[in-house]
Amino acid sequence: MRTKFYLPFIALALIATSCNSKKEATKESGIRLANLDQTINPRNDFYQYACGGWMKANPLTDEYSSFGSFDQLAENNRTQIKGLIEELAKQQSQPGSITQKIGDLYNIAMDSAKLNADGVAPIKEYLDKLAAIKDRNGLSQEIATMHRDGFGPFFGLYVGADDMNSSMNMAQLYQGGLSLGEREYYLDDDDHTKEIRTKFEEHVGKMFQLAGFTAEEAQKAAKNVMTVETRLAEASKSAVELRDPYANYNKITVAQLKKEVPSIDWDAYFTTIGLKDLQEVNVGQMDEIKTVADLLKKEDLDVLKAYLQWNVINTASSYLSDNFVAQNFDFYGRTLSGTKEMQPRWKRAVSAVNGVLGEAVGQMYSEKYFPAAAKERMIKLVGNLQKALGERIQGLEWMSEETKAKALEKLAAFHVKVGYPDKWRDYSNLEIKNDSYWANIIRSNHFDHDKMIAKAGKPVDKDEWLMTPQTVNAYYNPTTNEICFPAAILQYPFFDMNADDACNYGAIGVVIGHEMTHGFDDQGRQYDKDGNLKDWWTPEDAKNFKERAQVLVDYFGNIEVLPGLKANGELTLGENIADHGGLQVSFLALQKAMAENPLGKDEHGFTPEQRFFLSYANVWADNTRDEQIRLQTKSDPHSLGRWRVNAALPHISMWYDAFGVKEGDALYLPVEKRASIW
């Protein structure tokens, strides 16, 4: 689904994949010379030096717009999960059992003959229902129905922790409704963005024709979609503005909402969506909601109906016949990100099963591929990193003792999750049956929606996981003050049971430190130890922090990622702070570990310090198409892999010492221009 939820956690990156830890106890250095390009001077281009060999050995295939270490793991993970799923898909399982649901959904996704025979039929009734709308009276109820069904017209709703009372869940409205995701795609005036808009409108028209509309009807519908989405974009906040938690917190009573936005029938909306008698709600972006109300009141009804129909076509397209899937890929894959060839059907089917039955698959995956020893070692690493971050906080010369005490309290209160949940999700009430692929997705959307809605007004479950175990990623959630490391990230190049501490502290150690630092980045620092949005800083300390963070904003904002295109230092600030802190915290933890268990040069002649930084760089090895670089620069809060190395390390004094970087080298940055925060 493309619905955009502003979930309150901050992830390392957004890629799902797996783990495959070795079982031998022998420790190795962990450095693979084949990954390096030793013809390059590391002091001039450390990324190319550390990753050039890997990049040459892993050229982009047509299936990818970007291929990196994450994707390499993803290939391994899909193969492992495919093996687990296909075993279930071959057998006759008890109806209603989890094995039946996993196996049948996979078989349905793989049944190209039925999908192509069905064509547009699975959504035809829905489109006809929207076409039959005669007046505006039922629009609010219809939008609510569509939200529960998994579509995202106009705006969104989710239930999550109240930022000001983090132990309790509340309903939250947020801006949405943009097929292109970011408002800039509708508003920017550069040639590339204008071309994207033109091709998007053409794409919408083609999709309407596939759904049975005439060429003339489809062209008109596409223009109507652009009319609505442009209006929404004009009223929406930018990705940078959405990073300010106070500016996006507006808790009001439903009575106040009715008074401020009377053109939406809120009683009908909330009742239909399952929140009858709701008393209060957080309206994150009120201007956008008011624009929606204005559209519903004044815009031509045919324009609104075309927009609603587009939401159905667009969201369902991946689960329909091959012509819908191909056209959807042609725009979102080929045009927007530069991918030349879509994934084979089995990969898409595995992803669908992961999306619908993620924890059930994760339970099988964890049992087979996640050794207990990995969890034990990871928990020890987390403890070591917590101690190191505590020491760095205590040693900060720019922070007062008063703020340090509160920072240390927050650090000590971190809730740590490793591997997989203690309690698995119950899928008993989710029905998977052989009617249509899309019908199963709708039932899954209802299942997920109803679970979410049931949380409203109830205590936050701090043991709930926001990622599945088979996801190679990690996250920090400020409202629960938790750090989470799913099982799948605990493998090379992040974590290697065979590698020595220098390798593991440079990779998974920095990941741990990265997530911990998110608790103290420009967003996370605004939440206290209990997860409440609350200012615990002295004014002087807050001022010092902002001044020091601005160094990273300015530095990254001046990077030219493509000719004429600069990185967004404000959008990527949180992730850049987390990388900056993670590197320093993990390096200190390594030094403390080596005080007890000294390490020397490895068989290649690299010192432990050099191995630390090489391992860090290898995590971000990647080849990326220009289209994907443009897409990420406009929308992704993570810096590109190259700059998570070549722009992050010049601010780390220990890297200069490890590789003898000095004035005159291309990556050298004078001490007074380096960031110094955590």
Side-chain angles (χ1 to χ4, degrees):
M1 316 301 283
R2 286 193 193 85
T3 303
K4 187 171 183 177
F5 290 89
Y6 294 102
L7 293 174
F9 69 88
I10 307 165
L12 176 73
L14 299 176
I15 304 173
T17 182
S18 93
C19 104
N20 184 23
S21 299
K22 300 177 183 177
K23 293 188 169 65
E24 299 89 21
T26 309
K27 298 293 184 292
E28 303 167 351
S29 86
I31 299 301
R32 302 182 182 183
L33 285 183
N35 287 343
L36 278 60
D37 179 356
Q38 296 187 78
T39 66
I40 300 296
N41 184 339
R43 297 179 289 277
N44 292 334
D45 187 345
F46 192 76
Y47 184 77
Q48 189 65 34
Y49 172 77
C51 305
W54 186 97
M55 294 161 68
K56 184 177 181 180
N58 295 278
L60 279 173
T61 62
D62 288 349
E63 188 181 331
Y64 284 94
S65 60
S66 176
F67 187 86
S69 297
F70 285 91
D71 303 287
Q72 221 174 24
L73 297 179
E75 293 295 342
N76 176 52
N77 182 55
R78 285 193 195 96
T79 301
Q80 291 172 335
I81 292 176
K82 178 190 178 189
L84 295 172
I85 292 174
E86 285 189 336
E87 282 300 310
L88 303 182
K90 292 174 187 174
Q91 65 190 48
Q92 191 72 30
S93 298
Q94 178 71 26
S97 66
I98 198 66
T99 56
Q100 173 262 315
K101 293 173 183 179
I102 292 173
D104 282 4
L105 183 60
Y106 181 77
N107 286 333
I108 291 165
M110 290 295 292
D111 190 352
S112 59
K114 185 178 188 309
L115 285 165
N116 288 326
D118 286 349
V120 73
I123 62 170
K124 185 68 167 61
E125 185 178 347
Y126 216 124
L127 295 175
D128 290 344
K129 180 185 70 166
L130 294 173
I133 294 174
K134 299 298 183 187
D135 55 48
R136 302 172 193 274
N137 294 335
L139 284 177
S140 298
Q141 183 175 341
E142 190 60 57
I143 292 168
T145 298
M146 293 183 71
H147 284 174
R148 182 171 182 263
D149 288 345
F151 307 109
F154 293 115
F155 60 91
L157 176 141
Y158 74 95
V159 175
D162 180 344
D163 277 12
M164 296 284 190
N165 181 21
S166 63
S167 64
M168 296 298 293
N169 285 306
M170 73 169 175
Q172 315 209 30
L173 297 173
Y174 62 93
Q175 69 184 43
L178 301 181
S179 305
L180 292 171
E182 304 301 327
R183 69 192 294 271
E184 285 75 17
Y185 278 115
Y186 302 86
L187 306 179
D188 285 356
D189 206 35
D190 59 278
D191 290 342
H192 175 75
T193 304
K194 286 192 288 187
E195 182 183 8
I196 292 293
R197 283 199 292 271
T198 298
K199 291 186 175 180
F200 171 66
E201 189 172 326
E202 292 171 357
H203 163 67
V204 174
K206 290 176 182 177
M207 292 290 269
F208 267 97
Q209 287 190 68
L210 291 177
F213 292 74
T214 67
E216 184 179 352
E217 290 170 336
Q219 186 178 19
K220 184 178 180 181
K223 291 188 180 303
N224 290 340
V225 169
M226 282 301 295
T227 295
V228 174
E229 296 200 5
T230 302
R231 281 285 307 280
L232 296 176
E234 289 168 347
S236 296
K237 290 186 177 181
S238 69
V240 172
E241 291 171 321
L242 291 171
R243 291 181 47 76
D244 183 344
Y246 282 101
N248 293 282
Y249 185 86
N250 179 33
K251 182 178 177 180
I252 60 176
T253 66
V254 172
Q256 288 175 288
L257 177 61
K258 291 177 183 177
K259 185 178 291 186
E260 285 201 49
V261 193
S263 298
I264 295 177
D265 185 343
W266 292 109
D267 285 333
Y269 177 83
F270 288 126
T271 298
T272 304
I273 211 161
L275 291 169
K276 186 179 180 181
D277 301 323
L278 184 69
Q279 297 300 307
E280 57 186 15
V281 61
N282 179 48
V283 185
Q285 298 82 36
M286 181 62 85
D287 286 348
E288 197 267 357
I289 301 297
K290 287 183 176 179
T291 296
V292 171
D294 191 62
L295 282 165
L296 295 180
K297 183 179 180 179
K298 299 177 182 176
E299 187 56 77
D300 184 276
L301 191 59
D302 286 339
V303 173
L304 299 177
K305 289 196 291 186
Y307 172 70
L308 293 176
Q309 289 176 316
W310 164 244
N311 272 261
V312 174
I313 297 168
N314 190 33
T315 304
S317 59
S318 297
Y319 310 99
L320 299 175
S321 52
D322 287 349
N323 53 357
F324 280 97
V325 175
Q327 180 55 44
N328 181 67
F329 169 78
D330 185 68
F331 178 74
Y332 285 104
R334 188 172 285 113
T335 299
L336 207 54
S337 63
T339 311
K340 296 182 178 180
E341 179 181 294
M342 78 171 71
Q343 290 182 333
R345 190 179 301 274
W346 75 263
K347 290 186 181 181
R348 289 180 274 134
V350 166
S351 295
V353 177
N354 259 333
V356 171
L357 295 152
E359 278 201 19
V361 175
Q363 186 172 4
M364 296 190 306
Y365 170 82
S366 299
E367 289 171 357
K368 185 162 186 178
Y369 293 111
F370 184 56
K375 183 168 184 174
E376 292 167 9
R377 192 168 174 194
M378 184 68 176
I379 290 172
K380 183 178 179 181
L381 278 168
V382 171
N384 292 345
L385 268 292
Q386 274 184 288
K387 291 176 185 176
L389 178 52
E391 287 189 21
R392 287 198 63 88
I393 289 171
Q394 287 175 322
L396 293 174
E397 50 86 17
W398 59 269
M399 180 179 281
S400 70
E401 293 302 317
E402 179 184 346
T403 304
K404 282 181 185 178
K406 288 187 169 61
L408 292 170
E409 285 179 5
K410 180 172 183 176
L411 176 62
F414 274 174
H415 182 33
V416 181
K417 297 177 179 178
V418 176
Y420 50 82
D422 292 328
K423 183 179 179 182
W424 296 100
R425 186 175 182 185
D426 181 5
Y427 289 93
S428 300
N429 293 328
L430 173 61
E431 184 181 22
I432 300 295
K433 62 181 181 180
N434 194 23
D435 43 5
S436 77
Y437 192 8
W438 175 241
N440 282 288
I441 297 301
I442 285 278
R443 286 191 290 272
S444 171
N445 291 341
H446 289 171
F447 179 72
D448 290 339
H449 173 86
D450 293 347
K451 177 178 183 286
M452 176 187 70
I453 290 297
K455 299 175 186 177
K458 295 179 181 177
V460 171
D461 179 4
K462 294 190 176 183
D463 293 324
E464 181 180 16
W465 279 52
L466 304 179
M467 286 180 179
T468 62
Q470 63 271 33
T471 303
V472 169
N473 213 329
Y475 69 82
Y476 171 75
N477 183 356
T479 57
T480 52
N481 197 28
E482 73 178 65
I483 49 176
C484 180
F485 307 95
I489 201 170
L490 303 182
Q491 64 170 322
Y492 180 86
F494 294 97
F495 180 70
D496 189 343
M497 289 291 287
N498 278 346
D500 66 16
D501 280 345
C503 173
N504 278 322
Y505 276 92
I508 196 65
V510 176
V511 170
I512 297 168
H514 173 106
E515 299 308 334
M516 288 181 177
T517 305
H518 268 314
F520 305 96
D521 70 11
D522 63 310
Q523 288 179 297
R525 75 171 191 87
Q526 300 183 71
Y527 293 80
D528 67 13
K529 66 182 180 65
D530 298 315
N532 290 310
L533 189 56
K534 182 180 179 181
D535 190 358
W536 47 272
W537 294 62
T538 67
E540 184 65 22
D541 291 335
K543 178 174 175 289
N544 287 336
F545 175 89
K546 291 175 182 176
E547 289 175 351
R548 289 166 180 270
Q550 190 62 39
V551 175
L552 289 177
V553 172
D554 295 340
Y555 187 82
F556 278 84
N558 278 315
I559 294 169
E560 193 172 47
V561 296
L562 286 175
L565 177 65
K566 288 190 175 181
N568 189 334
E570 291 183 291
L571 178 60
T572 58
L573 177 60
E575 297 298 331
N576 295 334
I577 291 174
D579 284 344
H580 181 70
L583 280 160
Q584 299 193 93
V585 170
S586 190
F587 191 89
L588 174 59
L590 172 62
Q591 300 308 305
K592 293 171 69 65
M594 289 198 300
E596 295 182 13
N597 299 294
L599 295 173
K601 291 185 177 181
D602 69 359
E603 65 272 24
H604 310 303
F606 292 118
T607 66
E609 291 78 13
Q610 289 174 328
R611 299 200 295 277
F612 174 93
F613 290 110
L614 288 170
S615 296
Y616 169 73
N618 283 167
V619 165
W620 303 112
D622 181 88
N623 286 305
T624 305
R625 300 188 195 279
D626 287 355
E627 294 92 337
Q628 183 65 21
I629 290 175
R630 291 184 183 279
L631 178 62
Q632 286 185 233
T633 301
K634 198 178 286 284
S635 61
D636 197 334
H638 303 85
S639 294
L640 295 158
R642 174 175 295 275
W643 304 111
R644 294 185 83 161
V645 177
N646 277 1
L649 294 182
H651 295 273
I652 307 297
S653 62
M654 299 82 76
W655 172 71
Y656 288 79
D657 297 335
F659 286 91
V661 182
K662 58 187 183 301
E663 190 171 359
D665 293 325
L667 293 180
Y668 177 83
L669 191 63
V671 174
E672 65 273 13
K673 292 187 177 181
R674 298 174 199 169
S676 177
I677 308 174
W678 297 108

